[in-house]
Amino acid sequence: MRKSRAVVLTALVSSAAVIMAACSTPGQSDTTTTAATTPSAAESSATGGGSATSEPTGSASASTSATGGAGTAGDCAGTPHGAYDDPGAATGAVTVGYNEISTSFNGLTGHGNSVYNSNAMYLLQAQASYYDKDLTLVNNDSFITCETVSEDPLTVKYTVNADAKWSDGVPVDANDILLAWIAQSGNFNTAEAEYDEDGNLIPSTDNVSFDASSPGLALIKDFPEMSDDNKSITFVYSEPFVDYKLTLVGQLVPAHVVAQKALEITDATEANAALVKAAQDKDKASLIKIANFWNTGFDATSLPSDPALYLSNGPYMLTDWAENQFMTFKVNPDYTWGPKPAIEQITIQYAPDPTAAVQSLANGELQIIEPQATADVLKGLQAQEPNGITTVNGNGGTYEHVDLVFDNGGPFDPKTYGGDEDKAKAVRLAFLKAIPRQEIIDRLIKPLNPEATVRDSYQFVAGAPGYDEVTAANGMADAFNGNIDEAKKILADAGVSTTTPIDVRFMYADNNPRRANEYQLIANAAKEVGFNVVDGKNADWSSQLSNTKIYDASLFGWQNTTTGVSQMPPNYLGNIDGAWAGQNNFGHYNNEDVNTWMTDLNTTTETDAQVKLISDTEAQLVADGFGTTIFQHPDIVGFDSTKVTGVGSIPVVPAVFYNFWEWKIAG
């Protein structure tokens, strides 16, 4: 998802658990988001997660599960905040250095699900819910209120503030929430989204193919009920969904703009009505156009000439964007439905070099940075403490991992061995066993965190509830122990020759020094086993994750977007009833038992049962050679306390931006 993908932090874990995905949005596209470098994910990693103190405080609890009482207003999108204090007229400007910059105003798509897209949208859009410094889910009930109408069947009603509007003056309403369901539920898709050989989405001509998926929203089968004033919408779930309180954590895409552009309708009201009718009638021709525009119509790398593509309904409006340089946001004067910022202008400055970012902070060019965490960066920030530089340093919510590709004709694909599944599995297991996880920790992470350990769970961070049980069951520590001789034996026993080394194309971010070091350590170790690990560093690695024609293994990080347990399935679900269900499962791993367990996890609320499903899944992932986790990211935020106050971070997206409305100009 920065580039790090965003992921969601499980409700079972403590505050430093994992996000995928996408996402970070209604449901679970990501619900993992890729993380680039941030104090929570201060490096490029793939939209599903520091705190205001040096370590995350508080814990994610099962309070995010479906436990609200029927007919209870305000309990199903977090704790209602109530009215916010007015900070008065916003003043001053702050520049934040970040190692990636936006590529889309729609962070709900598979290719747009990234932390750096989430950062910009967090400034541009009002949030129905967000996390505070203790990772308590807070409902911004000045924007959207939520009511659990019934628990059987699970029925949830959302109501939008009558004053809320987009920056073009069109009201924010039920149509925008409806579009989130249409696009991410999968109920309207007639085929999967397809990509060309360069990893770009191919517009569909004969199928509805929204580039998104949400297991939670997929459980809403019936068309929702919308109020006459279009301010309320009521969803009925076909089954209970464990993380239904997180359904609206994330952005909304302006429905009227999608319909205006896709259906060539000028009037916003007419466009919204046409969108609703197309969905109600299952009008395939119209839905194809709507899906195509929703998928890519909001993608951009500089300020679009059409303001409709970057509308705001939140605290800031985008006023300038120079490609690969900066994005500038200024206060939205009409925004009253949520916390109002005290700082008039925030600029996100592209700062890919962490050492240069530290220097820019010291020089006063930047006031806040969230660089890749390295020992040199930490030393550089600490050296500036006498000059007012404050460092927030701790473990974040991003974890490093290597994933393999199962179906691209490469070294891990059974087709390469005449369909021999066992031989392909042996090659996967040998490669993963060769990865020197402990050496990576010792050489690259312990200089930042002397207590750092190898992470042996796909889902849980070490020390979190469930970690010990899952790691005792999954076998990862032994299977992927870095033993070269054992890796050689796996290949020999399977009859795999290494007379000619086995090529493995290895993709990672090209602007990340730590990832380059990891690649070199992995390549050196794997060479001893008989692998030739080809350097596949790529500036566009995040958007290329779906393009498995160009790589066989990938190295990146998943960052949390929420604290929900339902963040896990999008990473591992495969083909279910002829449709691909795992939006973050880029390597196309597919196992029927895992599909069943991960589907059940979405509707399982009892903690012990969740741990059992996760344990079974992880054991299967290890046995099949899905990939391996390596470490929990150390995260760093640096800020100039002589210029700005109130800065902190949390271990979920949006990390350092989580409380931007509490930032104040110092003095």
Side-chain angles (χ1 to χ4, degrees), residues 362-379:
N363 293 343
E365 299 165 14
L366 301 173
Q367 288 73 55
I368 302 171
I369 62 172
E370 190 175 20
Q372 175 192 348
T374 67
D376 288 341
V377 165
L378 180 59
K379 290 176 183 176

PDB file of all heavy atoms in Angstrom, residues 362-379:
ATOM      1  N   ALA A 362      15.658  19.916   8.976  1.00  0.00           N
ATOM      2  CA  ALA A 362      16.612  20.742   9.727  1.00  0.00           C
ATOM      3  C   ALA A 362      16.744  22.131   9.122  1.00  0.00           C
ATOM      4  O   ALA A 362      16.925  23.126   9.847  1.00  0.00           O
ATOM      5  CB  ALA A 362      17.975  20.048   9.761  1.00  0.00           C
ATOM      6  N   ASN A 363      16.611  22.225   7.786  1.00  0.00           N
ATOM      7  CA  ASN A 363      16.752  23.515   7.104  1.00  0.00           C
ATOM      8  C   ASN A 363      15.484  24.358   7.155  1.00  0.00           C
ATOM      9  O   ASN A 363      15.493  25.519   6.732  1.00  0.00           O
ATOM     10  CB  ASN A 363      17.121  23.291   5.632  1.00  0.00           C
ATOM     11  CG  ASN A 363      18.497  22.684   5.467  1.00  0.00           C
ATOM     12  OD1 ASN A 363      19.308  22.715   6.395  1.00  0.00           O
ATOM     13  ND2 ASN A 363      18.769  22.128   4.300  1.00  0.00           N
ATOM     14  N   GLY A 364      14.385  23.780   7.631  1.00  0.00           N
ATOM     15  CA  GLY A 364      13.137  24.521   7.699  1.00  0.00           C
ATOM     16  C   GLY A 364      12.293  24.438   6.448  1.00  0.00           C
ATOM     17  O   GLY A 364      11.239  25.077   6.360  1.00  0.00           O
ATOM     18  N   GLU A 365      12.739  23.657   5.449  1.00  0.00           N
ATOM     19  CA  GLU A 365      11.956  23.510   4.228  1.00  0.00           C
ATOM     20  C   GLU A 365      10.730  22.628   4.465  1.00  0.00           C
ATOM     21  O   GLU A 365       9.700  22.782   3.803  1.00  0.00           O
ATOM     22  CB  GLU A 365      12.825  22.906   3.127  1.00  0.00           C
ATOM     23  CG  GLU A 365      14.032  23.764   2.766  1.00  0.00           C
ATOM     24  CD  GLU A 365      15.061  22.993   1.964  1.00  0.00           C
ATOM     25  OE1 GLU A 365      14.718  21.896   1.466  1.00  0.00           O
ATOM     26  OE2 GLU A 365      16.200  23.468   1.839  1.00  0.00           O
ATOM     27  N   LEU A 366      10.863  21.677   5.375  1.00  0.00           N
ATOM     28  CA  LEU A 366       9.771  20.818   5.788  1.00  0.00           C
ATOM     29  C   LEU A 366       9.541  21.005   7.278  1.00  0.00           C
ATOM     30  O   LEU A 366      10.491  21.283   8.025  1.00  0.00           O
ATOM     31  CB  LEU A 366      10.094  19.341   5.501  1.00  0.00           C
ATOM     32  CG  LEU A 366      10.385  18.962   4.052  1.00  0.00           C
ATOM     33  CD1 LEU A 366      10.850  17.506   3.966  1.00  0.00           C
ATOM     34  CD2 LEU A 366       9.158  19.174   3.167  1.00  0.00           C
ATOM     35  N   GLN A 367       8.296  20.851   7.729  1.00  0.00           N
ATOM     36  CA  GLN A 367       7.995  20.963   9.156  1.00  0.00           C
ATOM     37  C   GLN A 367       7.671  19.602   9.775  1.00  0.00           C
ATOM     38  O   GLN A 367       7.791  19.418  10.978  1.00  0.00           O
ATOM     39  CB  GLN A 367       6.818  21.922   9.386  1.00  0.00           C
ATOM     40  CG  GLN A 367       7.154  23.391   9.147  1.00  0.00           C
ATOM     41  CD  GLN A 367       7.303  23.715   7.674  1.00  0.00           C
ATOM     42  OE1 GLN A 367       6.397  23.467   6.875  1.00  0.00           O
ATOM     43  NE2 GLN A 367       8.449  24.264   7.297  1.00  0.00           N
ATOM     44  N   ILE A 368       7.260  18.650   8.941  1.00  0.00           N
ATOM     45  CA  ILE A 368       6.947  17.292   9.404  1.00  0.00           C
ATOM     46  C   ILE A 368       7.475  16.322   8.351  1.00  0.00           C
ATOM     47  O   ILE A 368       7.333  16.569   7.150  1.00  0.00           O
ATOM     48  CB  ILE A 368       5.423  17.085   9.564  1.00  0.00           C
ATOM     49  CG1 ILE A 368       4.819  18.095  10.537  1.00  0.00           C
ATOM     50  CG2 ILE A 368       5.113  15.662  10.027  1.00  0.00           C
ATOM     51  CD1 ILE A 368       3.286  18.082  10.560  1.00  0.00           C
ATOM     52  N   ILE A 369       8.087  15.221   8.796  1.00  0.00           N
ATOM     53  CA  ILE A 369       8.489  14.177   7.861  1.00  0.00           C
ATOM     54  C   ILE A 369       8.105  12.818   8.426  1.00  0.00           C
ATOM     55  O   ILE A 369       8.030  12.627   9.636  1.00  0.00           O
ATOM     56  CB  ILE A 369       9.994  14.203   7.542  1.00  0.00           C
ATOM     57  CG1 ILE A 369      10.831  13.946   8.803  1.00  0.00           C
ATOM     58  CG2 ILE A 369      10.388  15.511   6.875  1.00  0.00           C
ATOM     59  CD1 ILE A 369      12.325  13.769   8.520  1.00  0.00           C
ATOM     60  N   GLU A 370       7.863  11.893   7.529  1.00  0.00           N
ATOM     61  CA  GLU A 370       7.568  10.521   7.900  1.00  0.00           C
ATOM     62  C   GLU A 370       8.418   9.640   6.976  1.00  0.00           C
ATOM     63  O   GLU A 370       7.920   8.988   6.067  1.00  0.00           O
ATOM     64  CB  GLU A 370       6.071  10.233   7.725  1.00  0.00           C
ATOM     65  CG  GLU A 370       5.636   8.927   8.315  1.00  0.00           C
ATOM     66  CD  GLU A 370       4.124   8.750   8.214  1.00  0.00           C
ATOM     67  OE1 GLU A 370       3.478   9.418   7.390  1.00  0.00           O
ATOM     68  OE2 GLU A 370       3.597   7.942   8.975  1.00  0.00           O
ATOM     69  N   PRO A 371       9.726   9.622   7.194  1.00  0.00           N
ATOM     70  CA  PRO A 371      10.633   8.967   6.250  1.00  0.00           C
ATOM     71  C   PRO A 371      10.758   7.476   6.504  1.00  0.00           C
ATOM     72  O   PRO A 371      10.286   6.954   7.518  1.00  0.00           O
ATOM     73  CB  PRO A 371      11.957   9.666   6.542  1.00  0.00           C
ATOM     74  CG  PRO A 371      11.894   9.924   8.018  1.00  0.00           C
ATOM     75  CD  PRO A 371      10.439  10.255   8.306  1.00  0.00           C
ATOM     76  N   GLN A 372      11.416   6.807   5.575  1.00  0.00           N
ATOM     77  CA  GLN A 372      11.781   5.424   5.817  1.00  0.00           C
ATOM     78  C   GLN A 372      12.627   5.369   7.076  1.00  0.00           C
ATOM     79  O   GLN A 372      13.540   6.168   7.267  1.00  0.00           O
ATOM     80  CB  GLN A 372      12.568   4.870   4.639  1.00  0.00           C
ATOM     81  CG  GLN A 372      13.075   3.465   4.883  1.00  0.00           C
ATOM     82  CD  GLN A 372      14.089   3.038   3.859  1.00  0.00           C
ATOM     83  OE1 GLN A 372      14.260   3.702   2.846  1.00  0.00           O
ATOM     84  NE2 GLN A 372      14.758   1.943   4.117  1.00  0.00           N
ATOM     85  N   ALA A 373      12.302   4.432   7.960  1.00  0.00           N
ATOM     86  CA  ALA A 373      13.014   4.325   9.231  1.00  0.00           C
ATOM     87  C   ALA A 373      14.322   3.563   9.048  1.00  0.00           C
ATOM     88  O   ALA A 373      14.315   2.377   8.732  1.00  0.00           O
ATOM     89  CB  ALA A 373      12.140   3.626  10.261  1.00  0.00           C
ATOM     90  N   THR A 374      15.429   4.252   9.211  1.00  0.00           N
ATOM     91  CA  THR A 374      16.745   3.628   9.196  1.00  0.00           C
ATOM     92  C   THR A 374      17.532   4.166  10.379  1.00  0.00           C
ATOM     93  O   THR A 374      17.178   5.193  10.978  1.00  0.00           O
ATOM     94  CB  THR A 374      17.514   3.939   7.905  1.00  0.00           C
ATOM     95  OG1 THR A 374      17.834   5.342   7.871  1.00  0.00           O
ATOM     96  CG2 THR A 374      16.698   3.582   6.664  1.00  0.00           C
ATOM     97  N   ALA A 375      18.626   3.499  10.698  1.00  0.00           N
ATOM     98  CA  ALA A 375      19.463   3.944  11.809  1.00  0.00           C
ATOM     99  C   ALA A 375      20.017   5.341  11.540  1.00  0.00           C
ATOM    100  O   ALA A 375      20.090   6.185  12.443  1.00  0.00           O
ATOM    101  CB  ALA A 375      20.597   2.951  12.041  1.00  0.00           C
ATOM    102  N   ASP A 376      20.396   5.614  10.293  1.00  0.00           N
ATOM    103  CA  ASP A 376      20.940   6.935   9.950  1.00  0.00           C
ATOM    104  C   ASP A 376      19.886   8.027  10.087  1.00  0.00           C
ATOM    105  O   ASP A 376      20.184   9.146  10.527  1.00  0.00           O
ATOM    106  CB  ASP A 376      21.489   6.919   8.523  1.00  0.00           C
ATOM    107  CG  ASP A 376      22.786   6.119   8.410  1.00  0.00           C
ATOM    108  OD1 ASP A 376      23.433   5.903   9.454  1.00  0.00           O
ATOM    109  OD2 ASP A 376      23.135   5.716   7.281  1.00  0.00           O
ATOM    110  N   VAL A 377      18.640   7.706   9.691  1.00  0.00           N
ATOM    111  CA  VAL A 377      17.561   8.689   9.832  1.00  0.00           C
ATOM    112  C   VAL A 377      17.327   9.006  11.302  1.00  0.00           C
ATOM    113  O   VAL A 377      17.200  10.171  11.697  1.00  0.00           O
ATOM    114  CB  VAL A 377      16.269   8.164   9.173  1.00  0.00           C
ATOM    115  CG1 VAL A 377      15.070   8.986   9.620  1.00  0.00           C
ATOM    116  CG2 VAL A 377      16.386   8.203   7.660  1.00  0.00           C
ATOM    117  N   LEU A 378      17.277   7.976  12.136  1.00  0.00           N
ATOM    118  CA  LEU A 378      17.065   8.186  13.571  1.00  0.00           C
ATOM    119  C   LEU A 378      18.187   9.028  14.176  1.00  0.00           C
ATOM    120  O   LEU A 378      17.935   9.976  14.935  1.00  0.00           O
ATOM    121  CB  LEU A 378      16.970   6.841  14.290  1.00  0.00           C
ATOM    122  CG  LEU A 378      16.748   6.894  15.804  1.00  0.00           C
ATOM    123  CD1 LEU A 378      15.461   7.647  16.133  1.00  0.00           C
ATOM    124  CD2 LEU A 378      16.697   5.486  16.391  1.00  0.00           C
ATOM    125  N   LYS A 379      19.424   8.716  13.829  1.00  0.00           N
ATOM    126  CA  LYS A 379      20.560   9.489  14.346  1.00  0.00           C
ATOM    127  C   LYS A 379      20.489  10.937  13.873  1.00  0.00           C
ATOM    128  O   LYS A 379      20.774  11.872  14.630  1.00  0.00           O
ATOM    129  CB  LYS A 379      21.872   8.854  13.888  1.00  0.00           C
ATOM    130  CG  LYS A 379      22.187   7.521  14.553  1.00  0.00           C
ATOM    131  CD  LYS A 379      23.465   6.915  13.973  1.00  0.00           C
ATOM    132  CE  LYS A 379      23.744   5.548  14.576  1.00  0.00           C
ATOM    133  NZ  LYS A 379      24.937   4.913  13.958  1.00  0.00           N
TER     134      LYS A 379
END
